[in-house]
Amino acid sequence: MQPIRTGLIGYGTAGAVFHAPLIAAASGLRLDAIASRRADEIARDFPEAKAYENPQSLVDDPDIELVAVATPNETHAALARAALEAGKHVVVDKPFTLDAGEAEALISLADAVGRKLSVFHNRRWDSDFLTVRRLVDDGRLGEIAYYEAHFDRFRPEIKQGWRETEAPGAGLLYDLGAHLIDQALVLFGLPQAVTADVTRQRAAARADDYFHVVLDYGRRRAVLHASVLVRDPGPRYLMHGDGGSFVKYGIDAQEAALREGRRPGGEGWGEDDPALFGRFTDADGTVATIDSLPGRYTAFYDGVAASIRDGAPLPVEAREARDVIRVIEAAQISARERRTTFL
């Protein structure tokens, strides 16, 4: 069977570090074209791919079946719409859109034209989150009362690029918050209510660089936190239930490997440092080390290919990504009005 000819729009960090290598590594896909002004970088990294100067030229290419959108957040909806209207299947980098209304419109359009639409929530396949999900699914923690997930970094200086500006969709909540919210929704579904603190802590910040979001699940609480002023991070995940507790330090290694130019599938890909394996303490106080499952970002595009060719479920449904945007919007209202927002 011929591979699905895939075009990528955008060759900044999202496109060059994440999407392009993962598309190239996917079973059933071929990276056929990239739309970006960075023609020299494309020729260096993927000389077999055509380089288009603008997105519309790629969308108009009749040979392209799947379009991946990896551009600034405020452009996601328009580019995804253009690709769907041209009859392409579409993957959109997270966050899906800037608001839930845009997301609903794209979902309706994809249904109307009979094309697949998915969103790149790659951190469902982080080593640490896969391990957390297995523990939840296995029921080892019993009834979970408290879940906490962190995405902390130390970046006291403002980085160049649109994510640190006042552009629509910039800031930490749309960026890292989309990951943490998606993971919580995978585990527990939509919350009843959201209480959030979202602010700028660095003196020169022009976009939010701190958030603390509490999701209300009745008796359960899920706390999602990110900051760029954390030099000595605490646990990445904490879970407490009537069956015990789980604590996990460290972060999945796949992003660092991709930034170093490594390609997925090599020896040790996605494996966690054993020194960072999580600790489970059962109800009797017995402590056990929990081996981390290997991370596998390749599962996303492998799943997209299987869905297009074989009708398999998409790895991330667009409606799930829309719900992430609903929670982001609720968090923004909560932070702005200093109140709990009900969904």
Side-chain angles (χ1 to χ4, degrees):
M1 186 176 294
Q2 290 295 314
I4 297 165
R5 301 181 72 169
T6 304
L8 171 63
I9 301 177
Y11 206 66
T13 298
V17 173
F18 290 98
H19 290 268
L22 294 174
I23 292 168
S27 174
L29 299 184
R30 185 174 77 191
L31 183 56
D32 219 46
I34 302 173
S36 171
R37 291 190 293 269
R38 303 184 182 192
D40 291 344
E41 295 174 32
I42 294 168
R44 178 196 66 203
D45 299 338
F46 295 95
E48 68 282 3
K50 290 181 286 187
Y52 287 111
E53 288 189 358
N54 63 77
Q56 193 60 49
S57 296
L58 184 148
V59 168
D60 290 339
D61 187 334
D63 293 329
I64 297 297
E65 299 175 71
L66 168 66
V67 172
V69 178
T71 55
N73 295 344
E74 63 180 317
T75 67
H76 287 183
L79 290 171
R81 185 182 306 112
L84 288 168
E85 289 174 343
K88 316 297 186 184
H89 304 287
V90 176
V91 165
V92 185
D93 192 41
K94 67 80 212 165
F96 186 9
T97 55
L98 297 189
D99 62 67
E102 288 181 333
E104 286 285 1
L106 290 176
I107 291 167
S108 296
L109 177 57
D111 289 342
V113 300
R115 292 295 180 266
K116 304 287 186 177
L117 173 63
S118 188
V119 179
F120 186 66
H121 277 294
N122 60 303
R123 290 194 177 273
R124 292 188 184 189
W125 293 275
D126 275 359
S127 169
D128 43 20
F129 182 68
L130 288 171
T131 307
V132 164
R133 190 173 183 181
R134 181 181 63 181
L135 283 170
V136 172
D137 290 344
D138 288 349
R140 292 186 67 178
L141 291 155
E143 184 68 23
I144 296 172
Y146 184 83
Y147 167 88
E148 184 173 335
H150 282 247
F151 213 138
D152 294 322
R153 294 170 168 171
F154 187 66
R155 292 179 176 173
E157 303 299 326
I158 307 297
K159 290 184 65 177
Q160 295 297 313
W162 63 267
R163 294 183 192 276
E164 297 265 29
T165 70
E166 295 176 337
L172 212 60
L173 183 61
Y174 272 108
D175 185 17
L176 304 184
H179 288 308
L180 295 183
I181 292 167
D182 179 67
Q183 291 178 345
L185 268 54
V186 167
L187 295 176
F188 308 120
L190 272 172
Q192 299 171 8
V194 178
T195 306
D197 180 16
V198 183
T199 193
R200 305 174 187 180
Q201 292 194 321
R202 293 170 297 176
R206 297 170 61 198
D208 57 270
D209 58 11
Y210 167 96
F211 65 77
H212 187 87
V213 177
V214 181
L215 306 183
D216 179 344
Y217 289 96
R219 291 181 297 174
R220 177 185 300 134
R221 293 291 183 271
V223 175
L224 314 177
H225 183 98
S227 170
V228 295
L229 292 176
V230 179
R231 176 69 279 180
D232 186 11
R236 178 151 166 80
Y237 291 99
L238 287 166
M239 289 194 293
H240 304 298
D242 57 18
S245 294
F246 178 72
V247 180
K248 174 72 173 73
Y249 287 80
I251 192 167
D252 178 272
Q254 292 173 95
E255 177 178 349
L258 289 166
R259 287 182 180 276
E260 291 169 2
R262 292 172 55 195
R263 294 293 177 91
E267 183 179 356
W269 181 266
E271 292 183 3
D272 196 14
D273 181 346
L276 297 175
F277 286 174
R279 184 179 74 249
F280 174 71
T281 305
D282 70 15
D284 295 325
T286 303
V287 179
T289 298
I290 303 296
D291 291 6
S292 298
L293 295 172
R296 46 190 182 92
Y297 288 168
T298 51
F300 176 82
Y301 273 112
D302 285 346
V304 170
S307 183
I308 293 171
R309 283 290 188 253
D310 305 324
L314 283 165
V316 178
E317 294 288 345
R319 287 173 176 82
E320 296 171 333
R322 172 209 57 199
D323 287 343
V324 172
I325 304 304
R326 289 180 60 194
V327 175
I328 288 175
E329 289 182 306
Q332 290 173 321
I333 294 170
S334 173
R336 183 171 61 248
E337 300 182 3
R338 297 183 180 273
R339 65 176 178 87
T340 295
T341 307
F342 292 87
L343 292 176

